Every structure is written in structure tokens, then in C-alpha cells.
Amino acid sequence: MIYILIRIFLFKHRPFQVAIISLLICYSIEILQLYQADWIITLRETLFGRYVLGQGFLWTDLVAYTFGVAFSFIIEKNYFKKSHL
């Protein structure tokens, strides 16, 4: 989802660049979950904060983000490769 969202805004960039930016955003959000200041805990208690920032850090989320971005990248590369023939 993040890959597609970033791709919409950065449509002139190479797919690899979009993949790297997407992973950096996803990893940053996941690592931010390790930060436990009072203000961010309060923000996480809201619906928006819960969905965007998450509740806790999980290594498996990093794997899922990597898989999702890689899958989207591969689909895009294969689609454009076939559509330009």
C-alpha cells in the first residue's frame, strides 16, 4: 500500500527509488514504535495514531514490509516490461 501511495506522488522516479523510499518510510514508522514518550503514547491511543503509528515494534513487521514492497516492485517491473513490447 505504501509503495503504491508513494508511486502516485513520485510517478517520474524509477521503481527502485520508489521501493527504497517506501521501505525507509515503513521502517521509520516501525522503529518509531520503540519511542515511548507521553505525547506519542497519547497519540497512539487515538484511532488515527493506532493505524498510522501502530502499537508496538515487531521484527516480523519489517519482514512483511519488505515482502510487500518487493512484491509491488516486481509486479510493476513485470507489467511495464510486458506493456512496452
Side-chain angles (χ1 to χ4, degrees):
M1 183 174 76
I2 294 293
Y3 180 89
I4 294 168
L5 182 66
I6 299 301
R7 191 69 178 143
I8 289 169
F9 291 107
L10 302 177
F11 58 90
K12 292 187 178 186
H13 286 72
R14 294 185 200 160
F16 184 74
Q17 291 173 323
V18 174
I20 296 298
I21 292 168
S22 300
L23 283 175
L24 288 174
I25 290 169
C26 291
Y27 290 172
S28 297
I29 290 171
E30 191 66 24
I31 291 170
L32 187 62
Q33 292 175 11
L34 295 170
Y35 184 65
Q36 297 295 323
D38 290 335
W39 68 272
I40 203 161
I41 291 171
T42 304
L43 181 62
R44 285 188 186 118
E45 291 174 354
T46 65
L47 184 64
F48 174 78
R50 192 172 327 124
Y51 284 128
V52 173
L53 299 175
Q55 293 294 318
F57 178 84
L58 293 172
W59 287 104
T60 54
D61 286 349
L62 297 176
V63 174
Y65 295 144
T66 304
F67 178 76
V69 168
F71 181 76
S72 299
F73 172 77
I74 290 167
I75 294 296
E76 180 181 5
K77 290 293 283 185
N78 287 333
Y79 171 75
F80 284 115
K81 181 179 178 182
K82 291 178 183 175
S83 68
H84 286 32
L85 291 176

